[in-house]
Amino acid sequence: LQTTLDRVKCSGKETNLEWCPRGAWGKHSCDHGADAGVCCAGTKTAAPRKTAGPAFKCAGDSETVDNGSTRLVECKEAGCRLEVKHDDAWGTVCGAGFTDHNAKVVCRSLGLPGGYPVHKYGGRYDAPGYSRIWLSGVHCNGAESWIGSCRHDTWGVNDCDHGDDVGVCCSDRPQYKSVQEMRGAGVVVPQCPPIAGGTVDLHQHCGGAASGGWTVSLHVGSYPRFDGGPCDNDAGLCVIKDCGLRNSDLSSLEVPAGLEATLYDRPFFEGAAKRYRGPARVGCLVADGWNDRARSIRVSAL
């Protein structure tokens, strides 16, 4: 039997012991001689085992949420089992010491806000038959873009079994709408470089500017969200002139020599990616399966 919690300091208003301020799961300086005991007084009616989880619905429902390197599977009311890909194979993550910071990194990498370990709500998501537990000892500071970038034990080396697999609950509400909003929430977003050199030209219709519709020119920089909403992108540096740019209209593009455009099918540079190195003129993105698909774009100098 393990000692799970240490330095627990409840105010008395919490409805779940795990919600009180405490040390990290499984981290302590105790032995079992210091195990706490509790005497409950009052009626003989037992209290409910667990209170409800977060007020928002966990993303996933019965579907899998997947960005190619991280996914949430077998979603239930309380959340989903977390899996990561390594060496082209999916595996699970050990839940010992898995914190809110870790869960928030997972959710942000999937384009979702929030992030809570499922074990906070009494859920258990084990995966009998899975041969791999890829990660254990995960310690994120909260600014990482992927859980694999957090400190962790050697891939595939651990003392866990699948009964320890962790689950995560992410909100199904939309993710941040702007760079400023991300920074205001404490997410580290690198500054984009000042405008310099040529531009990548995006066109509404196949065939380019000659086919009519809008044309938007992007300088070197990062453009994290195309949805017709705000696109601040570090105002004064790399700015989309038309902040009403909609991903559903992007059908062709031109990349000059010296630049490279990378399209992503999720906001904030997540998910599948397609690179176009200049000089390149793509008359219709449908040929590559990218018509009306881009959700974010990076323009880089070669």
Side-chain angles (χ1 to χ4, degrees):
L1 186 64
Q2 295 181 343
T3 301
T4 303
L5 291 179
D6 186 19
R7 301 189 303 279
V8 181
K9 298 179 180 178
C10 301
S11 68
K13 298 180 180 179
E14 298 86 356
T15 55
N16 188 316
L17 184 66
E18 293 106 321
W19 295 355
C20 301
R22 52 173 172 76
W25 284 89
K27 301 295 184 182
H28 59 86
S29 57
C30 305
D31 58 33
H32 285 300
D35 288 347
V38 172
C39 175
C40 299
T43 66
K44 296 182 180 180
T45 302
R49 289 189 62 190
K50 292 285 182 180
T51 57
F56 54 79
K57 178 183 176 183
C58 295
D61 198 6
S62 60
E63 303 297 324
T64 294
V65 183
D66 187 345
N67 70 3
S69 60
T70 304
R71 68 184 183 185
L72 301 178
V73 302
E74 295 186 11
C75 298
K76 303 178 185 179
E77 184 177 353
C80 316
R81 188 177 71 249
L82 170 62
E83 296 182 356
V84 294
K85 182 180 280 188
H86 180 66
D87 283 347
D88 272 338
W90 289 100
T92 59
V93 178
C94 185
F98 201 89
T99 67
D100 286 357
H101 279 316
N102 299 351
K104 285 178 169 58
V105 168
V106 168
C107 295
R108 189 171 65 249
S109 74
L110 293 165
L112 297 166
Y116 302 86
V118 167
H119 57 64
K120 280 203 165 194
Y121 311 113
R124 184 163 184 164
Y125 295 81
D126 51 13
Y130 267 69
S131 59
R132 296 177 177 87
I133 299 175
W134 275 135
L135 288 179
S136 64
V138 179
H139 296 283
C140 303
N141 63 31
E144 298 87 352
S145 61
W146 179 53
I147 190 172
S149 299
C150 303
R151 289 190 296 114
H152 57 76
D153 297 336
T154 303
W155 287 93
V157 179
N158 55 74
D159 295 322
C160 303
D161 59 39
H162 285 298
D164 299 318
D165 289 342
V166 75
V168 170
C169 174
C170 305
S171 170
D172 61 0
R173 294 171 294 179
Q175 179 58 292
Y176 310 105
K177 293 183 178 180
S178 69
V179 172
Q180 273 75 12
E181 186 176 338
M182 290 180 74
R183 291 195 176 115
V187 180
V188 176
V189 184
Q191 293 279 345
C192 67
I195 292 173
T199 61
V200 170
D201 295 331
L202 311 180
H203 306 291
Q204 182 177 11
H205 301 306
C206 289
S211 299
W214 54 255
T215 293
V216 171
S217 298
L218 302 184
H219 292 270
V220 170
S222 298
Y223 304 87
R225 176 179 284 272
F226 288 174
D227 63 358
C231 51
D232 52 340
N233 301 301
D234 293 331
L237 298 178
C238 47
V239 182
I240 299 176
K241 290 184 294 185
D242 177 9
C243 275
L245 175 63
R246 298 186 299 276
N247 62 277
S248 59
D249 290 336
L250 178 56
S251 298
S252 59
L253 58 80
E254 299 168 27
V255 184
L259 294 183
E260 180 179 78
T262 305
L263 313 184
Y264 299 85
D265 67 357
R266 288 180 178 271
F268 300 94
F269 323 112
E270 300 288 353
K274 177 67 175 178
R275 290 177 172 81
Y276 294 97
R277 176 169 292 198
R281 183 180 186 276
V282 184
C284 198
L285 288 166
V286 70
D288 294 332
W290 278 83
N291 199 57
D292 302 342
R293 183 176 170 186
R295 299 296 189 271
S296 53
I297 294 181
R298 276 199 171 111
V299 178
S300 307
L302 298 175

